[in-house]
């Protein structure tokens, strides 16, 4: 098994796929930070406030002209007045929500409440205060949860690499040169599972380091630091979920012997798209069958969202998972171990009986 692992590591390091994907991941991480930097800048906030002011003024004027005409408008004019009235109502509702949020003491809520009332009264200092708030994360783990985990990019990337690399063994007939007895197959699949764990750790490290460095350069700060225990819990559970997704893509390739099937699985399932859809279906059916709604938090896609939402305090979250009422960290641990264990059982128990 160790010789197979060394062989695969050599093929990865000296091949193009790993470094091309790594470059894409780094570029995507930097782009995300650049976009967050742009939308949180005082200049962008000021421009958005001006646009809101122009929209409110235009809608008010359009509504006033329609009311002053005294006659019921027809055709395109009626549609225009109706749209203006609806837009004014939406702005009023948004203003009310902003004012309600302002009571909580949020600088951004206060800003948009002021925009709804009188945008011209705002100063550059107001926008700078909101910009500073938007560029402050609670903890480094919260930053990583928002930028690295929540979107599903990390799970998608690892699953794609796993699918493409495992498929190479069949397209290049590398697997046919290995020992064909069942013991040899166990070593083969066992080594691939270990390799997937290494890949998950590698890309997690790359994305995390790139994000931390990019946010630091962009001027983002943190209100507090995480304890070592919280960081270990976050990185360990994130690695487990990413590893489980990578294993699932590899199993699909081993079953189908097709790179296309593995890539399709990665895009549809490992990106979280299918999981989100299934979760919505379960929550909808929970109206009729309540226990189905309790299954939604145990989906791997739900675990990814929980890791992003509670990244800074996974060990401190209250018991909230239905069925067992365990904390988020324990829920993610159980779901990840079950998913990875199922993939391992399929590979080492069922697929080892098939000829490579």
């Amino acid at each position: 098994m160790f010789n197979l692992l060394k062989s695969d590591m050599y093929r990865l390091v000296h091949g193009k796929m790993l470094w091309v994907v790594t470059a894409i991941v780094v570029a995507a991480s930097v782009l995300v930070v650049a976009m967050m930097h742009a939308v949180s800048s005082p200049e962008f906030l000021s421009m958005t406030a001006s646009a809101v002011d122009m929209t409110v003024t235009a809608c008010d004027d359009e509504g006033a002209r329609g009311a002053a005409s005294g006659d019921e408008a027809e055709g395109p004019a009626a549609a225009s007045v109706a749209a203006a009235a609806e837009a004014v109502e939406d702005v009023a509702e948004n203003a009310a929500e902003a004012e309600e949020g302002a009571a909580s003491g949020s600088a951004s809520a206060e800003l948009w409440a002021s925009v709804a009332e009188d945008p011209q009264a705002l100063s550059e200092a107001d926008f700078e205060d909101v910009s500073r708030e938007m560029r402050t994360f609670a903890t480094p783990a919260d930053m990583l949860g928002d930028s690295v985990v929540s979107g599903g990019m990390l799970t998608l990337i690892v699953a794609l690499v796993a699918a493409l690399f495992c498929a190479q063994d069949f397209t290049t007939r590398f697997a046919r040169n290995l020992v064909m007895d069942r013991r040899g197959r166990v070593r083969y699949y066992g080594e691939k599972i270990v390799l997937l764990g290494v890949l998950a750790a590698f890309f997690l490290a790359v994305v995390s380091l790139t994000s931390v460095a990019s946010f630091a350069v962009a001027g983002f700060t943190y209100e507090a630091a995480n304890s070592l225990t919280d960081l270990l819990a976050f990185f360990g559970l994130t690695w487990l979920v990413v590893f489980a997704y990578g294993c699932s893509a590899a199993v699909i390739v081993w079953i189908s012997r097709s790179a296309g099937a593995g890539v399709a699985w990665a895009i549809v399932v490992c990106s979280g798209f299918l999981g989100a859809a299934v979760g919505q279906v379960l929550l909808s059916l929970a109206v009729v069958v309540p226990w189905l709604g309790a299954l939604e938090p145990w989906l791997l896609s739900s675990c990814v969202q929980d890791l992003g939402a509670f990244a800074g305090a996974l060990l401190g979250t209250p018991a909230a998972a239905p069925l067992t009422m365990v904390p988020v960290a324990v829920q993610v641990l159980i779901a990840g171990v079950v998913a990875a264990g199922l993939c391992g059982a399929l590979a080492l128990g069922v697929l080892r009986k098939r000829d490579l």
Side-chain angles (χ1 to χ4, degrees):
M1 181 184 294
F2 183 69
N3 289 334
L4 281 175
L5 182 60
K6 288 197 302 181
S7 173
D8 281 346
M9 292 295 294
Y10 182 89
R11 291 162 60 200
L12 275 171
V13 172
H14 289 81
K16 296 179 180 179
M17 180 176 65
L18 179 67
W19 304 117
V20 170
V21 175
T22 300
I24 294 174
V25 168
V26 171
S29 300
V30 172
L31 180 61
V32 168
V33 177
M35 293 177 63
M36 293 179 66
H37 172 74
V39 300
S40 63
S41 65
E43 295 77 14
F44 183 85
L45 295 174
S46 177
M47 180 180 66
T48 304
S50 299
V52 171
D53 181 33
M54 293 174 62
T55 302
V56 173
T57 302
C59 291
D60 286 340
D61 292 344
E62 188 73 19
R65 284 196 298 270
S69 65
D71 297 325
E72 210 173 300
E74 299 179 357
S80 177
V81 172
E86 184 178 351
V88 171
E89 291 179 1
D90 292 340
V91 171
E93 291 177 1
N94 293 336
E97 293 176 359
E99 290 174 356
E100 183 179 342
S104 65
S106 169
S108 57
E110 293 175 358
L111 172 76
W112 297 118
S114 301
V115 167
E117 294 173 359
D118 185 9
Q120 303 301 327
L122 297 173
S123 65
E124 293 184 3
D126 295 322
F127 294 111
E128 289 176 356
D129 289 341
V130 176
S131 175
R132 191 177 304 109
E133 181 194 74
M134 294 176 67
R135 294 184 182 185
T136 303
F137 290 101
T139 64
D142 287 300
M143 176 273 290
L144 292 172
D146 289 338
S147 61
V148 173
V149 180
S150 294
M153 180 187 73
L154 186 59
T155 55
L156 172 62
I157 290 297
V158 172
L160 282 174
V161 174
L164 292 173
F165 186 76
C166 290
Q168 284 182 355
D169 286 357
F170 301 104
T171 57
T172 63
R173 299 183 178 274
F174 174 79
R176 292 183 178 273
N177 298 324
L178 303 176
V179 178
M180 297 300 290
D181 60 19
R182 290 190 178 181
R183 185 179 178 184
R185 296 171 203 162
V186 169
R187 287 198 298 265
Y188 173 80
Y189 290 120
E191 178 271 330
K192 284 295 186 289
I193 292 174
V194 173
L195 180 67
L196 294 177
V198 174
L199 281 174
F202 172 76
F203 282 109
L204 176 59
V206 168
V207 175
S208 299
L209 291 174
T210 303
S211 297
V212 169
S214 299
F215 276 115
V217 172
F220 286 75
T221 58
Y222 312 99
E223 294 178 356
N226 293 106
S227 67
L228 180 60
T229 304
D230 287 337
L231 286 175
L232 290 176
F234 170 72
F235 282 115
L237 292 173
T238 301
W239 172 86
L240 176 61
V241 172
V242 174
F243 170 64
Y245 269 120
C247 287
S248 70
V251 167
I252 295 300
V253 171
W254 292 333
I255 293 175
S256 64
R257 306 295 169 87
S258 167
V263 170
W265 177 271
I267 294 174
V268 176
V269 177
C270 300
S271 65
F273 174 78
L274 181 62
V278 171
Q280 290 300 316
V281 171
L282 290 176
L283 292 176
S284 299
L285 294 177
V287 178
V288 181
V289 187
W291 65 267
L292 288 177
L295 298 177
E296 188 271 339
W298 295 95
L299 299 175
L300 270 186
S301 58
S302 298
C303 291
V304 171
Q305 298 307 313
D306 287 341
L307 283 170
F310 304 106
L314 287 171
L315 300 178
T317 51
L323 299 183
T324 60
M325 295 303 292
V326 297
V328 170
V330 179
Q331 169 200 341
V332 175
L333 178 64
I334 294 174
V337 169
V338 169
L342 180 61
C343 292
L346 285 172
L348 300 177
V350 178
L351 294 177
R352 70 180 179 85
K353 298 178 180 179
R354 292 184 62 186
D355 289 338
L356 294 173

